[in-house]
């Protein structure tokens, strides 16, 4: 479920370490966090390099990708090119899942994808959020991140977008071009912007 945030308590936040703020879903200013900036910039360089390797050697590129991403499960396959993975330590993919080309993770918070998932091309996972009504907070660069969790045996069409804080259950199919703004339960087919349940399916099918 998407968490609703008030305005930042700057005095309280000053006492917390940046990675604890992210883990707790608290406010922080990315522009004032050199550790985060270093991770994101390094990751962009690594992904660009791996994409270049994939142009002539897909197997070697996948090998390098598994070395770069510490939480990929057994037999996970990801097609190239990859658009971006900002925080390699925040991405968890279960065994035997497949992700097509164009993958993008803007994700300081944890993104978890279950086992036996099929993810179509150009799918995007966004964990950062900004204040919807306070423009000064946006100008000052305040943001917070909420985790995204995907269950087992899911199938997502191309160009599906996942917004901060959503949880998708097991055995969920999401139509191409959908925007997932709220949680989806097990055993459903959903589509649209925002994604809505079209029908329920038998868990044994």
């Amino acid at each position: 479920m998407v968490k609703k945030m008030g305005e930042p308590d700057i005095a309280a936040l000053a006492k917390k370490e940046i990675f604890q703020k992210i883990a707790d879903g608290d406010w922080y200013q990315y522009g004032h966090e050199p550790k985060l900036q270093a991770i994101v910039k390094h990751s962009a360089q690594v992904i660009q390099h791996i994409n270049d390797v994939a142009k002539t050697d897909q197997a070697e590129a996948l090998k390098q990708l598994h070395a770069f991403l510490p939480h990929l499960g057994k037999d996970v396959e990801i097609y190239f090119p990859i658009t971006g993975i900002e925080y390699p330590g925040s991405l968890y993919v279960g065994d035997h899942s497949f992700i097509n080309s164009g993958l993008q993770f803007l994700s300081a918070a944890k993104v978890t994808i279950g086992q036996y998932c099929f993810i179509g091309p150009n799918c995007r996972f966004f964990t950062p959020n900004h204040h919807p009504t306070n423009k000064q907070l946006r100008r000052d660069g305040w943001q917070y991140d909420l985790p995204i969790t995907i269950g087992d045996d899911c199938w997502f069409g191309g160009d599906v977008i996942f917004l901060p804080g959503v949880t998708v259950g097991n055995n969920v199919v999401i139509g191409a071009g959908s925007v997932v703004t709220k949680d989806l339960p097990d055993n459903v087919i959903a589509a649209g912007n925002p994604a809505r349940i079209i029908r329920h399916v038998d868990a044994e099918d």
Side-chain angles (χ1 to χ4, degrees):
M1 183 61 66
V2 175
K3 177 181 177 182
K4 294 183 179 179
M5 296 287 288
E7 296 188 359
D9 182 341
I10 295 175
L13 291 171
K15 301 175 183 178
K16 298 183 73 172
E17 194 269 339
I18 179 56
F19 295 105
Q20 190 60 53
K21 293 177 191 177
I22 293 171
D24 292 343
D26 283 332
W27 292 99
Y28 65 94
Q29 292 171 291
Y30 174 81
H32 295 175
E33 298 293 345
K35 289 182 181 178
L36 300 186
Q37 294 172 37
I39 291 171
V40 170
K41 291 174 182 178
H42 175 69
S43 296
Q45 292 177 321
V46 172
I47 292 298
Q48 289 175 12
H49 168 74
I50 294 174
N51 283 335
D52 287 340
V53 171
K55 293 175 183 177
T56 56
D57 193 337
Q58 294 269 336
E60 175 60 24
L62 189 60
K63 178 180 176 182
Q64 291 186 20
L65 185 65
H66 272 263
F68 178 60
L69 301 176
H71 308 300
L72 291 187
K74 180 180 178 181
D75 297 327
V76 170
E77 188 165 13
I78 300 178
Y79 277 10
F80 303 98
I82 294 169
T83 299
I85 300 173
E86 286 191 326
Y87 295 87
S90 297
L91 175 59
Y92 293 73
V93 183
D95 296 345
H96 315 296
S97 287
F98 167 78
I99 303 175
N100 215 316
S101 61
L103 173 68
Q104 185 176 30
F105 283 96
L106 300 182
S107 55
K110 186 176 180 180
V111 176
T112 304
I113 296 172
Q115 302 181 78
Y116 295 99
C117 289
F118 292 171
I119 297 177
N122 303 314
C123 284
R124 287 161 280 175
F125 299 77
F126 302 147
T127 71
N129 215 338
H130 302 276
H131 203 287
T133 58
N134 189 325
K135 64 184 179 184
Q136 190 59 50
L137 288 179
R138 296 197 299 269
R139 288 181 179 182
D140 292 341
W142 286 98
Q143 70 177 72
Y144 61 94
D145 285 71
L146 298 175
I148 295 171
T149 303
I150 309 298
D152 297 334
D153 295 293
C154 292
W155 173 30
F156 307 144
D159 294 289
V160 177
I161 297 173
F162 298 87
L163 296 190
V166 298
T167 295
V168 175
N170 299 315
N171 191 34
V172 174
V173 175
I174 300 176
S178 298
V179 180
V180 182
T181 64
K182 295 182 180 180
D183 295 353
L184 293 170
D186 295 349
N187 307 314
V188 298
I189 297 174
N193 181 8
R196 294 182 174 89
I197 296 173
I198 297 172
R199 68 183 178 93
H200 292 261
V201 297
D202 191 329
E204 301 303 320
D205 286 348

